[in-house]
Structures are given as structure tokens and as C-alpha cells.
Amino acid sequence: MQKKLLQLPKGQYLSSLKLQIPANQTTLIVAPTGVGKTTFTMEDLPQQFELVLILVPTQAKVAELQNQYGNSSAKNQYQFFFANQNPDESIRIHKGVIVATYDKYEKINKLMSRKQKEQTLVVLDECHKAYSIGGFRDEAINPIIFSLQQRTTLSILLLTATFTEELYAPLNIPLDHILQIEHAESIQRHI
């Protein structure tokens, strides 16, 4: 496993680092809140992978991203699945980004062809929910964990602001790369 610490200059965001996510490997990015993890996944990663499947824990997050990106000039690049919006055969030809709640993963995975899975980057946002006791519903997160363990999709990106290696280890999902992102200048707060 390769670990790397990257300093984010003041006023810069994750996209400024021009990160390349390796294909056919599992990468973990640990970065503080507000550094642009969402923008990086929605805008930069589609330049690196034919299909980016972003799994988020809440319907509110999918709705927020749909409001932000669903009406953009590149709206055909994005698909959103949450609540009553269910994946269908259209994902088999989709190129770009699919954003879905954890609950929708199993349906999406079944619809994808083997070739499509080989070209897809699965992004698990808030990956700490996979090992937090009582942090998320088992029926939603377990199929994702099982799929990551079995490597049904070869390229995996895990995102979190808080990572605990000891709690992650029992998941038995080997990491190839860990990128720790920190602000070059720590935030000063006066109380």
C-alpha cells in the first residue's frame, strides 16, 4: 500500500492538485470537509474514466447534486437515482456520471455489463459509514461492501473526511493507495 500526504495551498481545492486516480486499483482519499471532493468527483473524474458511479448515503445529497448538475449544459453526462427514481436499461449505454444513494447500488450493479464494470470507477462517498457501528442501515451498505470485497468493479475510490484504519481493517477491502489531503495552513479559530 502506498501512502501519500499532499498539502493543499491556501485558497486551492482538490481539483487544483490534478490527481490521477489509478485504474484497476482501490484508492482512499482522506480530505477535510470543504476541499472540493464533490466537485472533483463530478467534474474531474469523468475525464479519467468512461463511467463514474458515485454512491452517497442520503437522498438529500443526490437531490442537491441533481439541482446543481442536472440543469447544466452537460446534463446528458449525468444521471441521478434516489427515492422513486430507479435505474433502468439506459445506464448500459450511459457515459459520464451516475449519482445514486447506497440503496440503488444493487440494481445498478445488476444492470451493468461486465465490460462496463471494467471501465467504471465506483466512488463510495462517506466511506466511514461502511464501518461505523450503527452508522448506516445494513441492507443498504452490505451489498456495496460485498461487491468491493469481490472486486466486481476493478477501479474503486473511497472518500471520507474521517478515517479510522483499525475500524476499516475488518471490512477486508485492501487499499492500494491512501492520499491524505491537508491544508498547507491550518485553520485558526478564535474562541
Side-chain angles (χ1 to χ4, degrees):
M1 171 181 20
Q2 180 185 31
K3 293 183 180 183
K4 193 173 190 180
L5 175 64
L6 300 171
Q7 296 283 323
L8 198 57
K10 186 176 182 177
Q12 299 291 305
Y13 294 96
L14 198 56
S15 292
S16 307
L17 297 175
K18 307 268 188 251
L19 296 175
Q20 292 294 311
I21 303 303
N24 304 324
Q25 296 185 27
T26 301
T27 303
L28 168 68
I29 294 180
V30 182
T33 303
V35 299
K37 291 187 293 280
T38 300
T39 302
F40 174 70
T41 57
M42 295 293 287
E43 297 175 17
D44 296 352
L45 291 178
Q47 309 305 316
Q48 298 178 38
F49 292 88
E50 193 169 299
L51 181 62
V52 178
L53 171 57
I54 303 171
L55 303 170
V56 299
T58 65
Q59 292 182 27
K61 185 63 178 179
V62 180
E64 173 190 328
L65 292 172
Q66 185 176 33
N67 286 337
Q68 187 175 354
Y69 290 93
N71 297 322
S72 71
S73 59
K75 67 181 176 182
N76 292 336
Q77 179 181 352
Y78 301 102
Q79 285 189 343
F80 304 90
F81 300 110
F82 65 108
N84 294 331
Q85 298 172 344
N86 288 307
D88 56 29
E89 300 289 325
S90 68
I91 69 164
R92 292 189 178 179
I93 58 168
H94 184 73
K95 295 184 184 354
V97 177
I98 296 173
V99 182
T101 55
Y102 291 175
D103 301 89
K104 302 295 181 182
Y105 173 74
E106 213 168 3
K107 290 178 186 173
I108 292 169
N109 193 42
K110 286 179 183 174
L111 286 168
M112 292 173 66
S113 69
R114 171 182 254 160
K115 184 177 181 196
Q116 193 175 23
K117 290 177 187 179
E118 291 172 358
Q119 300 169 337
T120 298
L121 172 68
V122 172
V123 179
L124 182 59
D125 193 24
E126 306 289 346
C127 72
H128 58 273
K129 294 197 181 288
Y131 58 78
S132 298
I133 296 172
F136 208 78
R137 297 182 333 276
D138 289 343
E139 66 271 8
I141 199 74
N142 281 344
I144 299 169
I145 293 170
F146 181 72
S147 179
L148 297 180
Q149 289 170 336
Q150 300 299 312
R151 297 296 300 253
T152 58
T153 305
L154 302 175
S155 302
I156 302 165
L157 175 62
L158 307 173
L159 298 173
T160 187
T162 59
F163 181 69
T164 308
E165 197 165 344
E166 297 78 17
L167 296 175
Y168 176 83
L171 291 180
N172 199 25
I173 303 168
L175 297 171
D176 298 301
H177 304 275
I178 297 178
L179 300 174
Q180 177 77 41
I181 312 295
E182 295 180 353
H183 291 286
E185 297 177 23
S186 61
I187 298 171
Q188 302 290 322
R189 291 195 175 102
H190 299 283
I191 299 177

